[in-house]
Amino acid sequence: VGCVWGCGDGMPGNVGQFIQSEIRHNAAFAGKDTIHDFCGVSSIAGSADRIFVSASDKEGVLALLKAMHFAGVNVTDIDPVIVAYLRAIYDKRIRKKYNSNVLVALAERSAVTVCVFRKESLDFVRSIELGNEVEDTKDYIERCKTEIDAVIQFYDIEVDDAEDKWEVSVMFRDIDIDSALAEKSLQEKFGKNISVCSDATVYSDTIVEPNDAISSVSLTAVGLAMHPLKTAGPNIVTDLVPLEVRNAKAIKKLLLLTANFAAVILLLIFTMSGVIGRRFAGAQKTPNPKHTQH
């Protein structure tokens, strides 16, 4: 789960306590042990201070880490899906869009997450649970249109300094849906400044070079792969790897470095011993000049 909290009167004195309180009141985490991380969000002129918060069920995160460990995969960071998605499309769909509001929607089976960027900065995040999964394709597209339209209307009415122009990007994730049909339907409602992406059309929304040998790529996997490359992105830095796991990795790394250092020292000792031994033996074999004269 990723969300943005605005603080009209400035940031609270104890941000961590404020966030924990808000998470406890979230229905999705009722009765669960959670893990979270947060970061500040770049301010737009006239906007309140805001923080982006990522949170997840801790048991689920630990299960994921365990599965990755047995698969031989070293996990360095855990990102929410929406952050990976934004990173993947940022350079092409969000960056340098100064004269328009950019709405990005991540449509999954049971939820739709809508983000709004203004002048390259994240301004709004809303995740809408759809309840029972919508099975009918047309009904699902209509529901997506309703949620997107609600956000646009909110900005048109409530946000005075918002741009009049909108650019919309929608990604359908883990849904068997015709992207062309969805794009046509959405363009009928919102105009031509809308793009629809799925795993089969990933290259159209990212700066990744097309690979003719691969017909389908996970857009979120592209975003995760771009993380260590430090490419242009939404400047959202959160990590859901539990602290105790990260500390355990740090201790393990320290022990490994210590063991390697000790091995190098021993190798140097053995090497020096060999050199000294050879020199000592050579000194014994060198004839004494005085004895040579006799």
Side-chain angles (χ1 to χ4, degrees):
V1 174
C3 65
V4 167
W5 278 311
C7 304
D9 298 326
M11 289 293 177
N14 190 330
V15 177
Q17 187 175 352
F18 167 75
I19 291 170
Q20 287 180 343
S21 175
E22 293 294 325
I23 291 174
R24 279 197 297 269
H25 289 89
N26 189 299
F29 298 129
K32 295 180 179 179
D33 188 13
T34 61
I35 181 171
H36 69 272
D37 194 15
F38 63 93
C39 66
V41 178
S42 301
S43 297
I44 301 169
S47 66
D49 293 332
R50 291 156 301 147
I51 49 178
F52 181 90
V53 179
S54 299
S56 183
D57 173 17
K58 189 172 184 178
E59 185 178 346
V61 170
L62 291 174
L64 173 64
L65 288 169
K66 186 177 181 180
M68 294 296 99
H69 173 73
F70 285 122
V73 178
N74 181 35
V75 178
T76 57
D77 303 278
I78 296 179
D79 270 345
V81 172
I82 185 64
V83 175
Y85 169 42
L86 293 174
R87 187 184 297 116
I89 70 168
Y90 186 86
D91 200 85
K92 197 163 185 178
R93 297 294 178 187
I94 301 171
R95 192 166 174 246
K96 296 183 179 180
K97 306 289 184 178
Y98 298 117
N99 298 320
S100 61
N101 309 304
V102 179
L103 185 147
V104 177
L106 173 63
E108 302 176 275
R109 288 188 179 278
S110 59
V112 177
T113 302
V114 180
C115 304
V116 175
F117 281 81
R118 297 169 60 203
K119 300 184 184 345
E120 298 187 336
S121 182
L122 179 63
D123 191 60
F124 175 93
V125 178
R126 181 186 181 193
S127 186
I128 306 100
E129 294 291 333
L130 300 181
N132 295 329
E133 294 182 3
V134 183
E135 297 294 340
D136 184 79
T137 299
K138 290 184 178 180
D139 287 346
Y140 186 84
I141 294 174
E142 288 301 316
R143 183 66 188 274
C144 290
K145 288 163 66 174
T146 299
E147 300 302 340
I148 292 171
D149 190 46
V151 174
I152 292 176
Q153 286 189 34
F154 167 79
Y155 270 84
D156 289 344
I157 297 170
E158 300 293 337
V159 184
D160 295 332
D161 60 343
E163 300 291 340
D164 294 330
K165 182 182 176 183
W166 285 86
E167 294 189 32
V168 180
S169 293
V170 181
M171 175 196 174
F172 290 98
R173 179 175 181 263
D174 296 333
I175 303 174
D176 185 14
I177 200 165
D178 186 335
S179 297
L181 175 66
E183 187 169 68
K184 181 180 179 181
S185 178
L186 289 164
Q187 284 181 346
E188 289 173 355
K189 174 69 176 177
F190 302 109
K192 296 296 183 182
N193 288 326
I194 186 164
S195 64
V196 172
C197 181
S198 66
D199 292 342
T201 58
V202 62
Y203 300 118
S204 64
D205 272 44
T206 71
I207 58 174
V208 178
E209 288 292 330
N211 187 335
D212 295 335
I214 303 174
S215 59
S216 180
V217 180
S218 167
L219 189 60
T220 49
V222 171
L224 290 171
M226 292 172 70
H227 184 274
L229 301 177
K230 307 300 181 184
T231 58
N235 198 26
I236 298 172
V237 183
T238 61
D239 182 14
L240 295 181
V241 176
L243 182 61
E244 58 267 32
V245 173
R246 193 166 292 284
N247 288 341
K249 285 187 175 182
I251 292 171
K252 184 178 179 181
K253 184 177 180 180
L254 178 62
L255 291 173
L256 182 61
L257 288 172
T258 304
N260 288 339
F261 180 73
V264 169
I265 294 297
L266 286 173
L267 179 61
L268 286 173
I269 290 172
F270 286 131
T271 303
M272 292 299 293
S273 297
V275 171
I276 292 170
R278 285 195 297 273
R279 288 185 178 179
F280 183 73
Q284 286 184 320
K285 294 178 181 179
T286 302
N288 191 318
K290 293 182 180 179
H291 292 289
T292 305
Q293 290 176 359
H294 287 292

